[in-house]
Amino acid sequence: MNKSKQTKEMHKSNFTGYGFNINIGSVLTAVIAIIGFVILVVINYSTILESTTKLRDGMLLVFEKPMLLAMFFCLVAVIAISISPLGKIRIGGDEAKPDFKRFSWYSMLFGAGMGIGFMFWGVAEPLFHNDYTPLFSSSSNVESALATTFFHWGLFPWALYALVSLALAFYAYNMKLPLAPRSMFYPLLKDRIYGLTGDIIDGLAVVVTLFSLASSLGFGALQVNAGFNYLFDVAISSNVQIIIIIVVTGFATISVVSGVDKGVRILSEANIILAATLGTLFFILGSTTSIISNGISALGNYLTNLISVNFNIVTGSEAANAAAGYDWAATWTLFYWAWWIGWALFVGMFIAKISKGRSVRDFLLSVTVVPTIIAILWFSIFGTVAIDTNALVGGELFNAVSIDESVSLYALVASMDVSQVIKIILDVISITLIVSFFVTSSDSGSLVVDGLTSGGAVNTPTKQKIFWTSMQAVLAIALIIVGGESALDIIQMVLIITASPFSIIIILIILLLIYQLILYKKHIEKPTK
């Protein structure tokens, strides 16, 4: 039986009653893990928080070098595959055509990947690096701060996303395997991916994805609530946050039901246009010369030193970090690397879903370079304006952000020397964009979970999509009720704990992908005469 027939047979064995089309093994794995975790948190919240914190710190120490190596290896692999003959392979075969125009494609992959993170950290992170010791050294604090921020949001994480999504897309569209994480292990497991082993792999991916989305939705509610409190004096409370989650989930449901080509695409394009508008306004209102100068100098520093900085990080030794010129930022970087690895399956699944028809070279370079360019522009603008404004107000902006990072963008607007009308415009655009990015993350995540729980089936019932969109909200609300922000912190720590050892598996997945690409190029593609 060939691979496509095996995939169809696997999907035929799905449970298809009551408006669902689900793979029982994957769903049971996910349900048992999620319910078990929630029960543990409810029964013994304080002990779970303490033990999770200790385990997270221990895992980062144990797996720091594998994570650093994995991120570096991803970037090297992107470059190597792109410049090799393997880059000519087309996802979906020689006759495949892209499902989306380039602008739509860029909009969707960026919105699902890091859009909301830019809104949350665009002001706060450069401010922190400017005040503390950054990873990149320079005679200019602003340059060092921006280069360090580029490091966390640039080439390394996007190279990771590019390779995971390429693996998923290639196995699904070229080898006719399920569009699911189980397929990435086909060269090693062969037909066992269709059985219990594959079900467990997909089930664990569902757990990681739902936890990622629930924590994102929960923290998003906190940020929007903080914005309403800062701007309109709305009380900060769990009730308000629950209402925000319900409203965001409602919009996400409408988007999911509309489909990728309508709801998700249109919303993603609107996000990019709105983000470009906000960035342009800050670029004009800030010191344009300073933004350009700092951005260019920081970019040069970043590109020149990103490899050496990555391998100089040693979080297990404060003395080594002090000798290298930084301390706390090293730990922050490891948190980032673990966080990106934890999100890789979710983001990779969504990008793979929308990327059929592009060449491997076009795919890898686009997914790695284009979002990195956007990150450099975004942090150059908001970071420079924030640092300049903080100096003008005597450090008051930094003090406000240190107390609560979620108000950083609103606090910046309030501190700027512009008219009240302009401040209102900036605030309205900002909070609209934050909500919109959260809706985009939620709807794209729902589509991913829907695919994972169906064993990678392409067409699934509408009721099932609505169900998984609602489950994100239920999980996020439950966590807020149980422990608020601390409960969401536990979820983040669990993701970091699971992602740390996964760094080793990432390297294995890349090696298997390269091996399979070589076989495909050699044995499946017919040479042209």
Side-chain angles (χ1 to χ4, degrees):
M1 186 182 293
N2 63 37
K3 299 182 185 70
S4 60
K5 287 184 178 179
Q6 285 176 306
T7 300
K8 290 178 181 177
E9 289 298 321
M10 184 184 75
H11 292 160
K12 285 182 180 179
S13 66
N14 286 359
F15 172 77
T16 55
Y18 304 100
F20 285 88
N21 179 12
I22 57 175
N23 179 278
I24 297 297
S26 299
V27 172
L28 283 178
T29 301
V31 169
I32 292 170
I34 291 172
I35 292 178
F37 176 80
V38 172
I39 291 174
L40 285 175
V41 172
V42 171
I43 292 175
N44 206 341
Y45 170 75
S46 58
T47 301
I48 293 296
L49 178 61
E50 181 181 355
S51 59
T52 305
T53 303
K54 291 180 180 179
L55 183 57
R56 177 203 63 187
D57 294 342
M59 293 294 281
L60 286 177
L61 291 177
V62 171
F63 288 98
E64 60 179 358
K65 287 183 175 59
M67 281 195 289
L68 297 174
L69 178 61
M71 299 302 277
F72 169 74
F73 187 65
C74 285
L75 184 58
V76 172
V78 164
I79 296 171
I81 295 173
S82 297
I83 64 177
S84 75
L86 300 178
K88 296 180 180 179
I89 296 174
R90 185 166 295 277
I91 299 172
D94 289 341
E95 304 302 320
K97 301 295 181 184
D99 293 327
F100 301 98
K101 294 181 180 180
R102 195 165 291 273
F103 176 71
S104 300
W105 184 51
Y106 287 158
S107 299
M108 288 189 287
L109 72 88
F110 175 75
M114 294 182 186
I116 191 58
F118 281 26
M119 298 298 296
F120 193 92
W121 290 109
V123 171
E125 182 160 350
L127 275 176
F128 287 151
H129 292 316
N130 184 65
D131 193 78
Y132 301 121
T133 305
L135 297 175
F136 288 74
S137 60
S138 171
S139 57
S140 166
N141 285 346
V142 181
E143 177 188 320
S144 300
L146 292 180
T148 302
T149 309
F150 297 167
F151 181 66
H152 291 149
W153 295 84
L155 292 171
F156 280 146
W158 282 106
L160 165 70
Y161 286 170
L163 285 165
V164 172
S165 53
L166 174 63
L168 289 161
F170 173 75
Y171 289 122
Y173 300 130
N174 293 72
M175 296 188 63
K176 310 306 179 185
L177 297 172
L179 179 55
R182 68 175 75 203
S183 298
M184 294 190 293
F185 299 93
Y186 177 80
L188 196 63
L189 299 175
K190 299 300 181 182
D191 290 346
R192 280 176 290 174
I193 68 166
Y194 296 102
L196 180 61
T197 302
D199 293 345
I200 293 174
I201 292 172
D202 287 354
L204 293 176
V206 172
V207 175
V208 171
T209 302
L210 276 177
F211 277 169
S212 299
L213 294 169
S215 64
S216 176
L217 196 56
F219 279 115
L222 295 177
Q223 186 182 16
V224 174
N225 192 179
F228 285 151
N229 174 262
Y230 195 88
L231 299 174
F232 312 117
D233 202 28
V234 174
I236 294 180
S237 70
S238 58
N239 289 335
V240 174
Q241 291 152 16
I242 289 170
I243 292 172
I244 292 170
I245 290 174
I246 292 172
V247 172
V248 168
T249 302
F251 283 116
T253 301
I254 294 172
S255 178
V256 167
V257 171
S258 300
V260 176
D261 189 46
K262 294 180 180 178
V264 178
R265 177 185 61 81
I266 293 172
L267 191 58
S268 297
E269 290 175 354
N271 285 346
I272 289 296
I273 294 171
L274 204 56
T277 302
L278 186 65
T280 301
L281 288 173
F282 272 91
F283 180 73
I284 295 171
L285 295 170
S287 174
T288 303
T289 303
S290 180
I291 291 170
I292 295 173
S293 175
N294 290 331
I296 292 174
S297 59
L299 176 60
N301 192 339
Y302 163 62
L303 293 176
T304 303
N305 299 298
L306 82 162
I307 303 299
S308 60
V309 166
N310 186 64
F311 285 111
N312 280 334
I313 294 172
V314 189
T315 58
S317 170
E318 293 183 6
N321 285 324
Y326 49 83
D327 41 32
W328 69 276
T331 301
W332 192 339
T333 299
L334 264 294
F335 287 163
Y336 263 125
W337 283 181
W339 188 242
W340 298 145
I341 291 171
W343 274 75
L345 285 177
F346 154 50
V347 178
M349 277 285 292
F350 181 73
I351 294 176
K353 193 176 184 70
I354 62 174
S355 298
K356 185 178 180 181
R358 302 191 181 276
S359 72
V360 167
R361 180 176 296 117
D362 178 21
F363 177 87
L364 288 177
L365 294 180
S366 294
V367 175
T368 303
V369 176
V370 173
T372 297
I373 293 173
I374 296 174
I376 290 168
L377 292 172
W378 186 269
F379 286 105
S380 294
I381 293 170
F382 286 87
T384 299
V385 173
I387 292 170
D388 288 348
T389 302
N390 185 60
L392 292 175
V393 298
E396 292 181 6
L397 175 59
F398 176 78
N399 293 335
V401 173
S402 297
I403 295 171
D404 186 359
E405 297 99 334
S406 63
V407 303
S408 59
L409 187 53
Y410 315 119
L412 172 59
V413 173
S415 302
M416 292 173 66
D417 185 20
V418 294
S419 70
Q420 191 62 32
V421 173
I422 293 178
K423 288 183 179 181
I424 292 173
I425 293 172
L426 294 176
D427 283 331
V428 169
I429 295 176
S430 297
I431 202 162
T432 302
L433 193 54
I434 289 170
V435 173
S436 185
F437 267 129
F438 275 114
V439 172
T440 305
S441 295
S442 180
D443 60 18
S444 57
S446 299
L447 291 171
V448 168
V449 175
D450 181 51
L452 288 171
T453 54
S454 64
V458 177
N459 297 313
T460 54
T462 300
K463 288 183 180 179
Q464 182 168 307
K465 295 182 175 71
I466 295 173
F467 174 80
W468 288 118
T469 307
S470 302
M471 281 304 299
Q472 294 177 50
V474 170
L475 186 55
I477 290 171
L479 291 168
I480 287 177
I481 293 174
V482 170
E485 188 170 352
S486 297
L488 296 172
D489 286 335
I490 292 177
I491 290 294
Q492 285 192 324
M493 287 188 284
V494 169
L495 289 173
I496 290 172
I497 290 167
T498 55
S500 302
F502 191 69
S503 57
I504 298 174
I505 299 176
I506 288 290
I507 297 175
L508 173 63
I509 287 172
I510 296 171
L511 292 174
L512 292 175
L513 173 63
I514 293 173
Y515 167 76
Q516 202 65 52
L517 285 169
I518 293 172
L519 289 183
Y520 182 86
K521 184 72 175 175
K522 182 177 180 181
H523 298 293
I524 300 180
E525 287 191 333
K526 295 180 180 179
T528 57
K529 295 183 180 180

